[in-house]
Amino acid sequence: MYTQLQLRGSARPPVTVATLQKMKADGEKIASITCYDASFAALVDEADADLVLVGDSLGMVVQGHDTTVPVTLDNIIYHSRAVARGLSRPFLMADMPFMTYTSREKALDNAMRLMQDGGAKMVKLEGGAGQVGIVEFLASHDIAVCAHLGLRPQSVHKTGGFRVQGRENAVADQMHRDAKALQDAGADIVLLECIPAELGKEITAELHVPVIGIGAGPDTDGQILVLYDVLDITPGRKPRFVQNFMVGQESPLAGVKAYVQAVKSRAYPAAEHCF
Ligand code: KIV
């Protein structure tokens, strides 16, 4: 019944927002990965990932769409529920899909469903200054939130594709302001996707909440990759920041362990993965 209390003193206590904050303060890198089902959830747990995301990337790597736009709330709930069953130690975050947070009330109802029906402990939404009010509203209801900046896949039809963001000074300056505003609004984590490494470093240093990067250089507080990219399952051309961790490994578990170790030891990302 009092599982949280019982596990607190164990060798592998469950990761919480406080754990992630302490990891930032201690300079311990946060190893994060996406996951979409219970079998892989048990595997990423055993590999000692700290943070697991049921990402709307499932629209691309599981459903075969060319963007994340078609993913629905029910899709994320279905996968999140399965992942939650397989996890014990990592902190579980679930994506709020396209157009599921267009108003405060809608965001609150949908975040509630991700937590109550999907078993998520934190919700992630994409956006900058426009989402500050939404993040503030969710945080005021004690919902843990991750704010996703930089390349925002739900906006690719507006922004012009999967491209590095923040190379221009004006865009970089806006990203600094957005990250700070989202933190001040109550975001517990900021996630930066596909931005110059220097910008990732600066924003990480400016924020007191943990910053997780994907293609954002080596200096963010943690890294996240899509599980299928780590295991080299995704067909076709891969983004520059992807590394195949199956090289020299004999099993998917060994591959995910290699990824977690590479993040912890700062071997990943290397210069060739950065913008
Ligand atoms: O949906 C997803 O997998 C993500 C990661 C790429 C961070 O948002």
Coordinates of all heavy atoms in Angstrom, one line a residue, residues 33-36 53-61 68 76 93 95 124 126 148 151 153-154 191-193 212-214 224-227 229 241, ligand 1:
I33 N 15.2 8.1 -22.0 CA 15.0 7.3 -23.2 C 13.5 7.3 -23.4 O 12.7 7.3 -22.5 CB 15.6 5.9 -23.1 CG1 15.7 5.3 -24.5 CG2 15.0 5.1 -22.1 CD1 16.7 4.1 -24.5
T34 N 13.1 7.1 -24.7 CA 11.6 6.9 -24.9 C 11.3 5.4 -24.8 O 12.2 4.6 -24.9 CB 11.2 7.4 -26.3 OG1 11.8 6.5 -27.3 CG2 11.6 8.8 -26.6
C35 N 10.0 5.1 -24.6 CA 9.6 3.7 -24.5 C 8.1 3.7 -24.8 O 7.4 4.7 -24.6 CB 9.9 3.3 -23.1 SG 9.7 1.5 -22.9
Y36 N 7.7 2.5 -25.4 CA 6.3 2.5 -25.8 C 5.5 1.2 -25.4 O 4.4 1.0 -25.7 CB 6.2 2.6 -27.4 CG 7.2 3.7 -27.9 CD1 8.4 3.3 -28.5 CD2 6.8 5.0 -27.8 CE1 9.3 4.3 -28.9 CE2 7.7 6.0 -28.3 CZ 8.9 5.7 -28.8 OH 9.7 6.6 -29.3
L53 N 10.2 8.5 -21.3 CA 9.2 9.3 -22.0 C 8.4 8.4 -23.0 O 8.9 7.7 -23.8 CB 9.8 10.4 -22.9 CG 8.9 11.1 -23.8 CD1 7.9 11.9 -23.1 CD2 9.7 12.0 -24.8
V54 N 7.0 8.4 -22.8 CA 6.2 7.9 -23.8 C 5.9 9.0 -24.8 O 5.1 9.9 -24.5 CB 4.8 7.3 -23.2 CG1 3.9 6.8 -24.3 CG2 5.1 6.3 -22.1
G55 N 6.8 9.1 -25.8 CA 6.8 10.2 -26.7 C 5.8 10.1 -27.8 O 5.5 8.9 -28.2
D56 N 5.4 11.2 -28.3 CA 4.5 11.1 -29.5 C 5.3 10.7 -30.8 O 4.8 10.5 -31.8 CB 3.7 12.4 -29.7 CG 4.5 13.6 -29.9 OD1 5.8 13.5 -29.9 OD2 3.9 14.7 -30.0
S57 N 6.6 10.5 -30.6 CA 7.5 9.9 -31.6 C 6.9 8.5 -32.0 O 7.2 8.0 -33.0 CB 8.9 9.8 -31.2 OG 9.0 9.2 -29.9
L58 N 6.1 8.0 -31.1 CA 5.4 6.7 -31.4 C 4.6 6.8 -32.7 O 4.5 5.8 -33.4 CB 4.6 6.2 -30.2 CG 3.3 6.9 -29.9 CD1 2.1 6.4 -30.7 CD2 3.0 6.6 -28.4
G59 N 4.2 8.0 -33.0 CA 3.5 8.1 -34.3 C 4.3 7.8 -35.5 O 3.8 7.3 -36.5
M60 N 5.6 8.1 -35.4 CA 6.6 7.8 -36.4 C 7.1 6.4 -36.3 O 7.1 5.6 -37.3 CB 7.7 8.9 -36.5 CG 7.1 10.3 -36.7 SD 8.2 11.6 -36.3 CE 9.2 11.7 -37.8
V61 N 7.7 6.1 -35.2 CA 8.5 4.8 -35.1 C 7.6 3.6 -34.8 O 8.0 2.5 -35.1 CB 9.6 4.9 -34.0 CG1 10.6 5.9 -34.3 CG2 9.0 5.1 -32.6
T68 N 4.6 13.6 -36.0 CA 3.9 13.2 -34.8 C 2.4 13.8 -34.7 O 1.7 13.5 -33.8 CB 4.6 13.7 -33.5 OG1 4.7 15.2 -33.6 CG2 6.1 13.2 -33.5
I76 N -1.4 7.8 -26.7 CA -0.4 8.0 -25.7 C -0.9 7.2 -24.4 O 0.0 6.6 -23.8 CB -0.2 9.5 -25.4 CG1 0.4 10.2 -26.6 CG2 0.8 9.6 -24.2 CD1 1.9 10.0 -26.9
M93 N 7.2 10.0 -17.9 CA 6.7 11.2 -18.4 C 6.0 10.8 -19.7 O 6.4 10.0 -20.5 CB 7.9 12.1 -18.7 CG 7.8 13.2 -19.7 SD 9.1 14.4 -19.4 CE 10.4 13.8 -20.5
D95 N 3.9 12.4 -23.3 CA 3.7 13.5 -24.2 C 2.2 13.9 -24.3 O 1.3 13.0 -24.3 CB 4.1 13.2 -25.6 CG 5.5 13.9 -26.0 OD1 5.8 14.9 -25.4 OD2 6.1 13.4 -26.8
K124 N 4.5 16.2 -20.8 CA 5.4 17.1 -21.6 C 4.6 17.8 -22.7 O 3.8 17.1 -23.3 CB 6.6 16.3 -22.2 CG 7.5 17.1 -23.2 CD 8.8 16.4 -23.5 CE 8.7 15.4 -24.6 NZ 8.3 15.9 -25.9
E126 N 4.9 20.9 -25.9 CA 5.8 21.6 -26.8 C 5.4 23.1 -26.8 O 4.2 23.4 -26.8 CB 5.8 21.1 -28.2 CG 6.3 19.7 -28.3 CD 6.3 19.1 -29.8 OE1 6.1 19.9 -30.7 OE2 6.5 17.9 -29.9
H148 N 9.0 21.6 -23.7 CA 9.9 21.2 -24.9 C 10.1 22.3 -25.8 O 9.2 22.8 -26.4 CB 9.1 20.0 -25.5 CG 9.8 19.4 -26.7 ND1 9.6 18.0 -27.0 CD2 10.7 19.8 -27.6 CE1 10.3 17.7 -28.1 NE2 11.0 18.8 -28.5
L151 N 13.6 22.5 -31.6 CA 12.8 21.8 -32.6 C 11.5 21.2 -32.0 O 11.6 20.4 -31.1 CB 13.6 20.7 -33.3 CG 12.8 19.8 -34.3 CD1 12.2 20.6 -35.4 CD2 13.7 18.7 -34.9
P153 N 8.5 19.1 -32.9 CA 7.9 18.3 -34.1 C 6.5 18.5 -34.4 O 6.0 18.3 -35.5 CB 8.2 16.8 -33.6 CG 9.4 16.9 -32.7 CD 9.2 18.2 -32.0
Q154 N 5.7 18.9 -33.3 CA 4.2 19.1 -33.6 C 4.0 20.3 -34.5 O 2.9 20.5 -35.0 CB 3.5 19.2 -32.3 CG 3.4 18.0 -31.5 CD 2.8 18.1 -30.1 OE1 2.2 19.2 -29.8 NE2 3.0 17.1 -29.3
L191 N 13.1 20.6 -21.9 CA 13.7 19.7 -22.9 C 14.1 20.5 -24.1 O 13.2 21.3 -24.6 CB 12.8 18.5 -23.2 CG 13.4 17.4 -24.1 CD1 12.8 16.1 -23.7 CD2 13.1 17.7 -25.6
L192 N 15.3 20.4 -24.6 CA 15.8 21.2 -25.7 C 16.1 20.2 -26.8 O 16.9 19.3 -26.7 CB 17.1 21.9 -25.3 CG 16.9 23.0 -24.2 CD1 18.3 23.5 -23.9 CD2 16.0 24.1 -24.6
E193 N 15.5 20.4 -28.0 CA 15.7 19.5 -29.1 C 16.4 20.2 -30.3 O 15.9 21.3 -30.7 CB 14.4 18.9 -29.6 CG 14.6 18.0 -30.8 CD 13.4 17.0 -31.1 OE1 12.4 17.0 -30.3 OE2 13.5 16.3 -32.1
I212 N 17.1 18.6 -20.2 CA 17.4 17.4 -20.9 C 17.5 17.7 -22.4 O 16.7 18.5 -22.9 CB 16.2 16.3 -20.8 CG1 15.8 16.1 -19.3 CG2 16.6 15.0 -21.5 CD1 16.9 15.5 -18.4
G213 N 18.6 17.2 -23.0 CA 18.8 17.6 -24.4 C 18.7 16.4 -25.4 O 18.9 15.2 -25.0
I214 N 18.3 16.7 -26.6 CA 18.4 15.7 -27.7 C 18.9 16.5 -28.9 O 18.2 17.4 -29.4 CB 17.0 15.0 -28.0 CG1 17.1 14.1 -29.2 CG2 15.8 16.0 -28.1 CD1 16.0 13.1 -29.3
I224 N 18.3 12.6 -23.9 CA 17.3 11.6 -24.3 C 17.4 11.2 -25.7 O 17.8 12.0 -26.5 CB 15.8 12.2 -24.0 CG1 14.8 11.2 -24.2 CG2 15.6 13.5 -24.9 CD1 13.4 11.5 -23.5
L225 N 17.1 10.0 -26.0 CA 17.1 9.5 -27.4 C 15.8 8.6 -27.5 O 15.3 8.1 -26.6 CB 18.3 8.7 -27.7 CG 19.6 9.4 -28.1 CD1 20.7 8.4 -28.3 CD2 19.4 10.4 -29.3
V226 N 15.4 8.4 -28.8 CA 14.3 7.5 -29.1 C 14.9 6.1 -29.0 O 15.9 5.8 -29.6 CB 13.8 7.8 -30.5 CG1 12.9 6.7 -31.0 CG2 13.1 9.2 -30.5
L227 N 14.2 5.2 -28.2 CA 14.7 3.9 -28.0 C 15.1 3.2 -29.3 O 16.1 2.5 -29.4 CB 13.5 3.1 -27.3 CG 13.7 1.6 -27.1 CD1 14.9 1.3 -26.1 CD2 12.4 1.0 -26.5
D229 N 16.1 4.3 -32.0 CA 17.4 4.8 -32.6 C 18.6 4.2 -31.8 O 19.6 3.9 -32.4 CB 17.4 6.4 -32.5 CG 16.4 7.0 -33.5 OD1 16.0 6.3 -34.4 OD2 16.1 8.2 -33.3
F241 N 22.4 13.6 -34.4 CA 22.7 13.3 -33.0 C 22.5 11.8 -32.6 O 22.7 11.4 -31.4 CB 21.8 14.2 -32.1 CG 20.3 14.1 -32.3 CD1 19.6 13.1 -32.0 CD2 19.7 15.2 -33.0 CE1 18.2 13.0 -32.2 CE2 18.4 15.1 -33.3 CZ 17.6 14.1 -32.9
Ligands
KIV1 O1 8.3 12.3 -28.8 C1 9.5 12.1 -28.5 O2 10.0 11.0 -28.5 C2 10.2 13.3 -28.0 C3 11.7 13.1 -27.9 C4 12.3 13.2 -29.2 C5 12.2 14.1 -26.9 O3 9.6 14.3 -27.8

